[in-house]
Amino acid sequence: MPDEMQRALIQRGGGTGSCWPLEPCVSELKTGVVGILGTGDFSRSLARRLVASGYQVVVGSRTPKRSAALFPEETEVTSQLEAASQADVVFVAIFPEHHSTLLELKAVLAGKILVDVSNGLQIKQGGPSHAERLADMFPESFIVKGFNTISAWVLQTGPRDGSRQVFLCSNSSKAKSTAVAMCRKMGFCPVDMGLLSSSVEIENLPLYLFPSWGTPIFITLILFIFFYLYNFVRDVLHPFVTAGKSVFYKMPIETVNVTLPSVALVTLALVYMAGLLAALLQLWRGTKYDRFPDWLDKWLIKRKQFGLCSFLCAAMHAIYSLCLPMRKSARFNLLNAAFKQVKEGVENSWSDEGVWRMELYVSAGILALGLLSLLAITSLPSVADNINWREFSFVQSSLGYCALSMATVHTLLFGWDRAFDPSQYRFFLPPTFIVVLILPVSVLLVRLLLLLPCIAHQLRQIRRGWERSRHIRFVLPNDDCYNGFDNVSNV
């Protein structure tokens, strides 16, 4: 009983992939000698981090006297042979093409843990990786792949602002456990990637350039080009062809400012259209266990990127709109309108309809941008990690549809009664806002359809495991959302 009372209430996670911001356990507190082979930028940052974590660090260099001044005073800089002899864990921080120069240390490194931190120059589709080649060179050593996704800057400053994750893999469970303990003691979060065969994937991670952003950015650019050309034909080319009036000065700002909100609203509608298509597909199939098509799977995964592209376009639209009165062409138009009113003897040009339209239009736009900013902020990992799933779902779903609704209202107020004005159909093309509203209005209507009690109840049943083709009897739990019903399929 006394032993149980002295035991900690919260035990450390035993999994290698868990991340705990707690003090290391007793076995991790034993300060050992850690060796580093190499004297580059990463080696110096790694040495500083290891020293700050309480390790005794010895650095192996081909020119110890010249490299000693680059490392902390607590670090011993010596030859590669002496460093490899003193340390039980050795970080191989040299370029992979120079791994063969360490073959003369093969006997000294036998039975020791070698941590390969190297990266490749291009993405590999298959093996062998640099770590696997190193394992072939040193078969009597225990090879661990890791720390290659952490930059030298993060190692120096600590994992306060940068990524905390360190991906590790090895064929030796003991060597991997040692690397996991060191990783936690240095303040990072180890992620167990399994055997050394996963080193190819780990080495490819730093080489990816926004792997999830390709399709969203491409579609955003296509939409921008389409709406820009559409607005150019209607607002710039039409007056030049029909009346010989040159308004090409509108291309850099005015045409762009009309294009950006169009792209923002369409991409925001694409974010929620994917979820609606998934719901309709589940209702049609009568089950949630059939896989979605590949294109819909990829679309669902990349909704965050579409949302951030929408936020970028909306923010740029707000900046462009604030800059509109600063243009010289705007001042000329204002002076000409004032001179025309004086010449025609117009004393009061106040229009209640125009004033109300502009007030509501600007207010709806501000609300839409504010809600969209909240969606963008909560999509950040640092913010998403501090809220639970219900809060995240409420912001991204409920407030997201509110943002889409306010943006749609903003566009409708911009159009006002222009849809019924024949002069707005230039070259027989409808106004831009009519084309833009097709997708978001369709999304909002489908969303309202899915909120009908009969459809929402069936969709809820399907997502809780009910299938139309099987006889499954279950009872929905009693809670605040809905009452309990004895549900039987095919009745």
Side-chain angles (χ1 to χ4, degrees):
M1 190 66 167
D3 295 337
E4 294 181 358
M5 294 298 295
Q6 293 176 1
R7 188 178 304 165
L9 293 177
I10 301 177
Q11 301 292 333
R12 291 293 302 267
T16 55
S18 59
C19 179
W20 295 90
L22 302 176
E23 293 297 326
C25 59
V26 176
S27 61
E28 297 174 18
L29 288 175
K30 296 179 180 179
T31 304
V33 180
V34 179
I36 302 176
L37 300 180
T39 56
D41 295 336
F42 188 86
S43 301
R44 295 194 293 269
S45 301
L46 180 61
R48 291 179 181 274
R49 192 65 192 164
L50 288 170
V51 170
S53 301
Y55 288 99
Q56 181 182 349
V57 181
V58 55
V59 179
S61 173
R62 291 175 296 180
T63 56
K65 294 183 179 180
R66 187 176 65 179
S67 304
L70 302 175
F71 289 84
E73 296 180 357
E74 300 85 355
T75 303
E76 179 185 356
V77 181
T78 181
S79 64
Q80 291 183 344
L81 180 60
E82 293 181 4
S85 302
Q86 297 180 36
D88 294 326
V89 179
V90 179
F91 284 85
V92 182
I94 62 176
F95 290 108
E97 56 265 26
H98 301 315
H99 283 173
S100 58
T101 61
L102 302 177
L103 288 175
E104 58 185 15
L105 307 176
K106 188 174 183 180
V108 180
L109 294 175
K112 297 188 177 182
I113 300 174
L114 302 184
V115 182
D116 178 29
V117 300
S118 63
N119 284 316
L121 298 177
Q122 58 184 3
I123 298 177
K124 292 183 179 180
Q125 301 298 330
S129 64
H130 299 310
E132 290 173 325
R133 290 177 179 175
L134 191 64
D136 293 336
M137 294 181 186
F138 301 92
E140 298 180 1
S141 302
F142 304 104
I143 309 300
V144 177
K145 183 67 185 184
F147 292 91
N148 62 308
T149 57
I150 300 296
S151 66
W153 171 257
V154 174
L155 281 172
Q156 283 192 10
T157 60
R160 293 188 297 270
D161 299 326
S163 174
R164 294 173 55 89
Q165 290 186 336
V166 174
F167 299 92
L168 300 170
C169 69
S170 176
N171 291 335
S172 171
S173 58
K174 182 179 179 180
K176 186 163 52 177
S177 299
T178 303
V180 166
M182 294 181 62
C183 182
R184 286 178 179 157
K185 193 173 180 180
M186 295 167 65
F188 296 101
C189 178
V191 179
D192 189 353
M193 298 292 288
L195 300 177
L196 198 62
S197 57
S198 302
S199 57
V200 177
E201 181 182 355
I202 295 178
E203 291 178 1
N204 287 337
L205 287 177
L207 301 177
Y208 289 126
L209 182 62
F210 303 112
S212 302
W213 287 83
T215 302
I217 291 178
F218 176 76
I219 293 178
T220 303
L221 289 177
I222 292 298
L223 289 173
F224 183 87
I225 293 173
F226 168 77
F227 283 113
Y228 186 87
L229 294 178
Y230 192 89
N231 293 319
F232 172 79
V233 171
R234 292 189 71 260
D235 300 334
V236 179
L237 191 60
H238 179 268
F240 181 77
V241 172
T242 57
K245 184 179 180 181
S246 177
V247 288
F248 289 94
Y249 66 89
K250 293 184 177 181
M251 294 175 59
I253 295 183
E254 283 195 36
T255 307
V256 173
N257 191 40
V258 179
T259 302
L260 286 173
S262 305
V263 178
L265 185 54
V266 173
T267 50
L268 184 60
L270 290 175
V271 173
Y272 297 98
M273 185 177 179
L276 296 178
L277 290 177
L280 293 175
L281 195 59
Q282 288 178 340
L283 287 171
W284 179 61
R285 293 174 173 176
T287 179
K288 70 171 184 178
Y289 296 106
D290 291 343
R291 285 186 57 86
F292 295 133
D294 290 339
W295 59 269
L296 184 56
D297 264 337
K298 295 178 181 178
W299 190 353
L300 291 168
I301 293 173
K302 297 176 180 178
R303 287 179 293 178
K304 171 184 175 180
Q305 286 75 17
F306 278 110
L308 292 177
C309 289
S310 174
F311 172 70
L312 174 63
C313 294
M316 293 178 64
H317 167 58
I319 297 174
Y320 268 90
S321 299
L322 292 175
C323 295
L324 287 178
M326 301 166 58
R327 300 171 305 141
K328 183 172 289 188
S329 58
R331 293 197 294 268
F332 279 137
N333 291 332
L334 182 62
L335 291 174
N336 290 335
F339 179 76
K340 183 178 180 180
Q341 291 182 8
V342 173
K343 185 177 180 180
E344 295 177 356
V346 178
E347 296 182 358
N348 187 5
S349 60
W350 180 273
S351 172
D352 287 335
E353 180 182 355
V355 170
W356 271 102
R357 168 183 169 271
M358 182 57 64
E359 297 293 321
L360 294 174
Y361 163 72
V362 174
S363 179
I366 294 174
L367 290 175
L369 182 59
L371 291 173
L372 197 56
S373 302
L374 184 60
L375 296 177
I377 292 174
T378 53
S379 66
L380 297 175
S382 58
V383 178
D385 291 343
N386 292 306
I387 57 178
N388 59 36
W389 172 248
R390 186 176 182 182
E391 294 168 345
F392 181 81
S393 178
F394 171 77
V395 173
Q396 296 293 330
S397 180
S398 301
L399 294 186
Y401 276 105
C402 290
L404 181 62
S405 301
M406 293 307 303
T408 303
V409 172
H410 175 69
T411 307
L412 287 171
L413 291 172
F414 171 80
W416 203 253
D417 58 351
R418 298 179 186 178
F420 310 102
D421 186 0
S423 63
Q424 295 294 325
Y425 291 80
R426 303 161 189 168
F427 287 142
F428 302 101
L429 297 176
T432 307
F433 73 92
I434 295 181
V435 180
V436 173
L437 286 173
I438 295 175
L439 189 60
V441 169
S442 302
V443 169
L444 292 175
L445 290 177
V446 174
R447 176 60 177 172
L448 292 175
L449 179 66
L450 293 179
L451 288 177
L452 295 177
C454 56
I455 299 178
H457 180 70
Q458 185 177 1
L459 183 61
R460 189 187 305 121
Q461 284 183 309
I462 291 174
R463 290 178 175 176
R464 295 184 66 86
W466 177 85
E467 293 183 88
R468 184 185 302 142
S469 59
R470 298 178 60 188
H471 295 274
I472 301 177
R473 187 180 185 89
F474 66 95
V475 177
L476 290 176
N478 289 316
D479 53 23
D480 297 335
C481 298
Y482 43 80
N483 297 323
F485 294 97
D486 193 11
N487 294 275
V488 182
S489 64
N490 295 333
V491 175

